[in-house]
Amino acid sequence: MSLSDSKPAYQDRWVGKVNFVEIRSFWHIFRSYDRMWSFFILCLQAMIIVGWNGSGDPIDVFTPDVFKKVLSIFITAAILKLGQAVLDVILSWKAQRSMSYFVKLRYILKVISAAAWVIILPVTYAYTWEKPPGFAQTIKSWFGNGSESPSLFILAVVIYLSPNMLAALLFLFPSIRRFLERSHYKIVMLMMWWSQPRLYVGRGMHESTFSLFKYTLFWVLLIITKLAFSYYIEIKPLVGPTKAIMSAHVTNFQWHEFFPQAKNNIGVVIAVWAPIILVYFMDTQIWYAIFSTLFGGIYGAFRRLGEIRTLGMLRSRFESLPAVFNDCLIPQEKAVPKKKGLKATLSRSYTKIQLNKDKDEARFAQLWNTIISSFREEDLISDREMNLLLVPYWADRELEDITQWPPFLLASKIPIALDMAKDSNGKDRELKKRIETDNYMSCAIRECYAQFRNIIRFLVQGEREKEVIKSIFTEVDDHVGRGTLITEFKMSALPHLHTLFVQLIKFLLDNKPEDRDKVVILFQDMLEVVTRDIMTEDHTTSVLDSIHGGYGHEGITPLDQQYQLFASAGAIKFPIEPATEAWKEKIKRLDLLLTTKESAMDVPSNLEARRRISFFSNSLFMEMPAAPKVRNMLSFSVLTPYYEEEVLFSLQNLETPNEDGVSILFYLQKIFPDEWTNFLERIKSSEEQLRQSDELEEHLRLWASYRGQTLTKTVRGMMYYRKALELQAFLDMAKDEDLMEGVKAVEINTEEHSRGDRSLWAQCQAVADMKFTYVVSCQQYGIHKRSGDQRAQDILKLMITYPSVRVAYIDEVEEPSKERPKKINQKAYYSTLVKAALPKSIDSSEPVQNLDQVIYRIKLPGPAILGEGKPENQNHAIIFTRGEGLQTIDMNQDNYMEEALKMRNLLEEFLKKHDGVRCPTILGLREHIFTGSVSSLAWFMSNQETSFVTIGQRLLANPLKVRFHYGHPDVFERLFHLTRGGVSKASKVINLSEDIFAGFNSTLREGNVTHHEYIQVGKGRDVGLNQISMFEAKIANGNGEQTLSRDIYRLGHRFDFFRMLSCYFTTIGFYFSTLITVLTVYVFLYGRLYLVLSGLEKELSTQPGIRDNKPLQVALASQSFVQIGFLMALPMLMEIGLERGFRTALSDFVLMQLQLAPVFFTFSLGTKTHYYGRTLLHGGAKYRATGRGFVVFHAKFADNYRMYSRSHFVKGFELMILLLVYQIFGQSYRSSVAYILITISMWFMVGTWLFAPFLFNPSGFEWQKIVDDWTDWNKWVSNRGGIGVPPEKSWESWWEEEQEHLRHSGKRGIIAEIILALRFFIYQYGLVYHLNITKHTRSVLVYGVSWLVILLILFVMKTVSVGRRKFSADFQLVFRLIKGLIFLTFVAILVTLIALPHMTLQDIVVCILAFMPTGWGMLLIAQACKPLVVQAGIWGSVRTLARGYEIIMGLLLFTPVAFLAWFPFVSEFQTRMLFNQAFSRGLQISRILGGQRKDKDRSSNSKE
């Protein structure tokens, strides 16, 4: 082999990790956040010392003795420092080969210096005492008893603290730190080398002084509160009882005590203190929830959230809306300096009317109408509501100074005004006052009068008639000007005139030539009413004079002759030819104003439309950057990763009923009844006609898909951006006359001009395309296309509907290899971008082919999806995006027309320096969760999510400055991220929650993440319990992986202390705290188990520390606070209160309690804990596809069992046994009330963990379903496993898969698992001594005998099973006899035990409680040591034992559910609670119909 061949092999070898190794261990939590843990541990030590010595008052710290004792915390600090240094070495050990020499040196020096301090500090400390306490005495005896010299210790402490003092200095003056990080002086570089490894990331992350002050203040307040609470409520009150327990002497144990000589009852002290110390480490999370709610609420109020919550508020502010529209959404000609800061928040008035009022109103009309039309297209409003909401498109030049408000504000004003005028009795002043108080009413009256005048003038053509009309109007105008209209004219006939005019309007709307004569008669009637009934005699005379004066007749012609007015051929212009759009619109509007009697208070009636319109109006009053012209705005792209979800529901999808007889379509009609009627109105068809044409079926599919979580919905939403940009480009570029004619006219004209010059509209489209691209990354599109999958056709349909959509996908092609002589086909991978192919030319007679056409094709070195699917999918498509901004949008999101209008304002944020240090690199947006209406679970989930994406992230971004990126509507600064590793890290497993790593990465590389409240994107969430649990499991797994990651380690070390706290409590700290919450329950109950079984609790039951322990109750109360979702509920309440009013918030909260929200939160606590803990111990994190469907189907019992068996059921049973034992053996000397108070939340937890999945399961209590579930479960448990049998089919396969994580766990994980399993052996040891039989002996032999009994039982079971295999065929009778004998022996033993040594029923229960956990513990250990057990050949027996346990657990779970299913009302109650009313009513009806259908089917079958 030549040299050149051997070289690459060496080069390709993996170098290994250099700075950081990811190792599964809980120690990472301490290692990454060592400063925080040290701080809490030292505070705890100081508080205990202060509480223990003297009176326990904090002032005592300053007495010399106590102060000296408190100083010992520095020794603890040194020990913790050493622990940290050693931990660093151990966890980086694997990287030792590839580390540079200096890094190794640094680690070694750190260990040595830490060890030196651990020696120096205690020694100098010992010499500060004259009469040293025990610990100091021993040290003194080693080093010789010199005289005391306290100054040495003080000196040592000062030297020890000097680096911390320097750090504090740098913290206060960020500029110094910035200088040090960039300087090249040798001494500075040495200092920096000692404090942080030389990496590119994690430098220069400090904020401006003001931000620093804000988050420091936040945390200082929080920590002071927390420490005061812990000291006064938990630690200080516990000191006295502890001293008493330590001085009490116990001799009478109830079991065999191995250490009877032990002093101070140390076991009891640990059992009492452990839960309290755990809560001490956890309750900062609770305080964080409280403080974040307060601060988040205050910030939200300052950002003007919820100023317009209801339609009433919108009405009252509508007058200033046009001005605000023009201020925010239209680029200003001359920039007006805006007010900033607090002053602007408190005073922000909009001038009602500006100079070029016409243009402003025209622009407002275009924008407003676009929004309203989009509502109509989405079927949120009906045609009538749309007409009431629209503003005239075509500005009416004849109404000079009258603002045309949308009719919903003016509805019913005219009829009311008529009534007022009719009853006014000539009191002009009063009427005027009443009309002018209501601005909208005066607008309506003036507009109607002006339009009435204009229409009459327009219609009347004859010369004589014109004269009459002119004189009447002159007369009226004259009186109006003088304010004497009412005194001079009779108003009682006004309603009559009104009815006639309304009839005229109706004729004008129809515009039919045959109505001409009726119109003439109407005109004559109107003239008569005016001249005879309204005007008084003298006025009439003057009018008639004006008519006849010109003709020289003397005297008054009798009025009979006037009837011939209007009758001649050309006197009236009717029908109107041509009737323009503007004219039709004008007449329609007038009709609405004159005839709408009932007020339009509830327009729009749809809740979603109300929410959107009020949020949008409200957002315009918030502070946002001024809009640039579309030509000058930053360009941006949207990227959506898509895998295999629904694109468009097929008809079959929609109409196939599930097992309850509910189809998706039926379900949607029940949930969105008003939108369904609006839809039918829009397509002008009835439900029956829908199936008759393909076009209508297409409409139906779209309607349903827009209400699911489909790709079609997302694409429609994102394409609103383009629509918005086209409209804004038009408003920017249009000349005045184009503006006045409106965007509709331009679109209509475009078709005529399309051949000629580049029309205005074409220019607008071109600009929009320059500024916006949309790439959907459909990973599997190529495969779908080849296999003729429906999804590929639907995606193509989307590209044809929206020509500017681009689809990126990975194309796998077989190509002949070039190098090798033999033609072997190799797979080649291409990253491909396609668009819809447009037909060649408009005239050609060729059939139009709907195909896609390739734009780019980039060869990849190999398969693209190496890591996690979604981030890889984004990474391959990101090169196809353009522009400065990149918005990542998920498949389950939606967007709205009105929000798209604000995009160019949002992009301007990239150019602003927030807080004066650096420009943002990620702009966070808020989301609106739109799946809340599906079921009560979906509602809890959407409330929880909403509070996180609003109040949670608002606080994280400002003041805490630790917002990262949490999933997708955020806008990235594209160039910043492309040059720093993309928007998603994609390593397998570790980057499971890929989105948050983008935030970590951005922050570590001097980025800045902000959060903006004035724009929102819709987002769907999971709706069924199993989906939600999978989602939470995925997030918890992801957090477990983050805990091990280098990003968290670097953030924890490079942030200053307070920002590090924010970072901890808002990322992995939240999950670790939930873990501690559950751990508290375990520690408390195992502590009690020890106290009860050893008899210590009985002996010490008079002691206050045992009997009425207040601190313990507080600790458990805070645990149950977390458990029932209090941390979630607080921010939720605050956010709903801010945005929808506090009354709504309160009623929502009560409703949630009634719909069992605490059950849901307690259950999800279990999910989080299980998956987070398991990921840290053993790994096994994986992406869980949750499916985004509508979940209204019943999950089978076996499904639920498979899903929750290990995470909830096993733990629930364990806690239940603990609680039972504690109850049975402690009841003799303790009041039951105290027991209930202490353990009620634990019983709640047990009940929830065992039965919530069945409670939240649709039709979970239907008898028929229960029977089916039972047979299904039996089949599953008894099926044999084997290769290729999926876990859903057989218990054995599932059981093997369930232990999969132990295979990859490594030695540490296995050892941890075995140590944890040992807890199950305590029960047997303790309980054996509590049987009636063994009451009087305390010897170890009893325990030994109990093991013999267990082995005997196992042996008998084994022989029976072996016997069944070997003998049951040949010696069947013998085998049966042996089995019979074994059974008889068992009964005989039982009888003798009961008869002779008085064994009671309780004893049998206790035996079961003692031996069941032992068996389970043995099982766990056997599973952990599987290779050894398999070698020993007893794996089969282990499996049999495990199956026995599973069957028992299944029975225990199934029995209560089945019992409840006996009662029919339970099922009713459950459906009511789970689903919203409309749907559960529909469900009942469809069940009845379904029943009839089944009967028909049966009868038809039987006939056949």
Side-chain angles (χ1 to χ4, degrees), residues 553-718:
H553 285 276
E554 57 280 344
I556 298 169
T557 323
L559 275 174
D560 304 331
Q561 288 174 14
Q562 290 168 23
Y563 277 121
Q564 299 325 305
L565 279 177
F566 305 114
S568 60
I572 287 183
K573 183 175 173 183
F574 187 85
I576 308 294
E577 298 287 339
T580 57
E581 285 289 319
W583 169 261
K584 285 183 199 156
E585 190 184 65
K586 179 153 115 180
I587 300 293
K588 223 191 239 161
R589 175 178 166 88
L590 199 50
D591 182 43
L592 277 173
L593 293 186
L594 294 171
T595 55
T596 316
K597 290 275 196 308
E598 71 282 9
S599 100
M601 278 321 251
D602 59 338
V603 173
S605 57
N606 179 295
L607 293 176
E608 176 67 0
R610 289 182 178 195
R611 180 192 68 74
R612 276 170 55 180
I613 207 163
S614 48
F615 174 80
F616 175 66
S617 318
N618 188 22
S619 71
L620 296 179
F621 288 91
M622 297 182 195
E623 204 170 306
M624 63 170 94
K629 284 197 149 85
V630 175
R631 280 190 182 286
N632 308 339
M633 69 179 267
L634 296 177
S635 51
F636 73 107
S637 298
V638 176
L639 176 62
T640 297
Y642 163 84
Y643 184 57
E644 286 193 318
E645 297 88 348
E646 288 286 350
V647 181
L648 186 65
F649 289 134
S650 66
L651 277 177
Q652 192 185 350
N653 267 4
L654 291 176
E655 288 175 346
T656 323
N658 67 2
E659 52 202 32
D660 287 330
V662 180
S663 65
I664 292 187
L665 188 59
F666 170 79
Y667 177 67
L668 288 172
Q669 288 168 350
K670 281 286 164 270
I671 286 192
F672 306 108
D674 48 348
E675 295 179 28
W676 176 246
T677 32
N678 294 343
F679 165 66
L680 291 176
E681 180 185 32
R682 176 168 59 96
I683 58 169
K684 302 185 174 51
S685 141
S686 68
E687 208 167 325
E688 293 71 43
Q689 294 163 352
L690 276 176
R691 305 283 175 282
Q692 282 156 24
S693 81
D694 288 350
E695 194 189 347
L696 290 178
E697 283 187 352
E698 193 63 27
H699 277 307
L700 176 67
R701 286 176 64 191
L702 283 169
W703 182 84
S705 303
Y706 289 150
R707 273 143 198 81
Q709 298 183 33
T710 55
L711 184 64
T712 312
K713 177 179 190 140
T714 310
V715 172
R716 174 190 70 172
M718 294 307 127

Side-chain angles (χ1 to χ4, degrees), residues 20 27-36 81 84-85 87-88 106-107 110 167 177 181 194-197 199 201-202 205 1004 1045-1057 1059-1061 1063:
F20 188 92
W27 286 108
H28 276 293
I29 297 173
F30 173 71
R31 184 191 179 198
S32 300
Y33 294 102
D34 59 314
R35 291 176 292 166
M36 179 190 74
K81 211 36 165 284
Q84 167 75 4
L87 197 60
D88 266 343
R106 178 169 172 266
Y107 277 131
K110 287 233 166 194
R177 184 168 148 193
E181 279 187 347
W194 181 253
S195 70
Q196 64 185 60
L199 291 174
V201 293
M205 287 174 7
L1004 282 167
S1045 70
R1046 56 193 65 205
D1047 306 70
I1048 281 284
Y1049 173 74
R1050 283 168 190 164
L1051 286 171
H1053 282 255
R1054 300 269 59 85
F1055 273 153
D1056 57 60
F1057 183 72
R1059 222 167 142 201
M1060 172 203 58
L1061 287 177
C1063 173

Side-chain angles (χ1 to χ4, degrees), residues 37 286 298 986 1331:
W37 290 109
I286 300 178
I298 293 167
L1331 296 171

Side-chain angles (χ1 to χ4, degrees), residues 1017-1033:
V1017 178
K1019 188 173 181 75
R1021 265 280 159 253
D1022 310 292
V1023 291
L1025 183 70
N1026 292 9
Q1027 274 81 352
I1028 290 174
S1029 295
M1030 277 171 159
F1031 172 72
E1032 297 212 306

Side-chain angles (χ1 to χ4, degrees), residues 276-505:
I276 285 177
I277 286 179
L278 278 177
V279 167
Y280 166 82
F281 285 124
M282 182 269 307
D283 64 0
T284 317
Q285 193 73 49
I286 300 178
W287 287 109
Y288 174 77
I290 294 168
F291 272 76
S292 68
T293 303
L294 290 173
F295 277 72
I298 293 167
Y299 267 81
F302 272 117
R303 292 198 183 169
R304 311 178 66 123
L305 276 175
E307 284 191 8
I308 300 179
R309 294 199 285 273
T310 58
L311 288 178
M313 291 173 167
L314 177 63
R315 285 196 152 70
S316 63
R317 285 197 151 189
F318 206 91
E319 289 178 46
S320 52
L321 219 52
V324 186
F325 259 83
N326 280 292
D327 220 42
C328 293
L329 302 178
I330 305 291
Q332 297 301 321
E333 307 298 325
K334 302 187 290 296
V336 186
K338 273 195 178 177
K339 278 192 269 187
K340 273 220 172 81
L342 194 64
K343 222 162 142 194
T345 311
L346 298 176
S347 66
R348 192 153 173 219
S349 58
Y350 280 93
T351 42
K352 293 274 169 72
I353 282 164
Q354 292 152 337
L355 303 173
N356 44 3
K357 179 170 160 292
D358 289 356
K359 275 165 75 173
D360 281 2
E361 276 177 14
R363 287 195 181 116
F364 167 69
Q366 307 303 320
L367 292 166
W368 176 259
N369 289 345
T370 312
I371 294 168
I372 299 301
S373 318
S374 83
F375 277 16
R376 181 63 194 104
E377 281 157 30
E378 293 176 28
D379 297 317
L380 294 179
I381 52 179
S382 62
D383 287 348
R384 174 180 170 274
E385 289 180 320
M386 175 174 77
N387 290 332
L388 283 170
L389 286 164
L390 286 177
V391 180
Y393 266 106
W394 281 271
D396 203 331
R397 300 288 171 86
E398 292 155 337
L399 307 174
E400 285 87 32
D401 55 342
I402 299 168
T403 311
Q404 291 184 299
W405 297 112
F408 82 108
L409 297 170
L410 311 178
S412 81
K413 299 289 184 198
I414 296 290
I416 293 174
L418 279 174
D419 278 357
M420 280 161 50
K422 192 175 73 184
D423 306 337
S424 60
N425 298 332
K427 297 191 184 109
D428 192 35
R429 202 101 137 283
E430 207 172 288
L431 181 64
K432 209 169 184 177
K433 216 155 78 192
R434 280 169 72 183
I435 286 176
E436 274 168 5
T437 50
D438 184 346
N439 185 22
Y440 292 133
M441 187 180 278
S442 67
C443 277
I445 293 169
R446 284 164 57 209
E447 183 181 343
C448 283
Y449 174 62
Q451 291 287 29
F452 173 65
R453 191 169 59 193
N454 293 346
I455 286 175
I456 300 282
R457 279 185 182 163
F458 176 70
L459 292 177
V460 175
Q461 296 285 318
E463 289 300 322
R464 279 184 68 199
E465 287 85 347
K466 274 186 177 172
E467 291 280 327
V468 176
I469 299 297
K470 190 176 167 195
S471 62
I472 291 179
F473 278 128
T474 323
E475 183 85 19
V476 174
D477 287 345
D478 182 40
H479 281 299
V480 171
R482 284 188 307 202
T484 55
L485 189 67
I486 295 184
T487 40
E488 298 290 326
F489 287 176
K490 296 204 276 294
M491 284 295 159
S492 49
L494 211 51
H496 190 176
L497 182 64
H498 174 251
T499 2
L500 293 173
F501 185 50
V502 170
Q503 283 172 356
L504 174 65
I505 295 272

Side-chain angles (χ1 to χ4, degrees), residues 824-844:
I824 304 170
N825 281 354
Q826 280 184 316
K827 272 204 163 171
Y829 296 88
Y830 290 93
S831 202
T832 315
L833 186 72
V834 295
K835 66 176 177 181
L838 294 171
K840 298 280 187 308
S841 69
I842 299 171
D843 296 331
S844 68

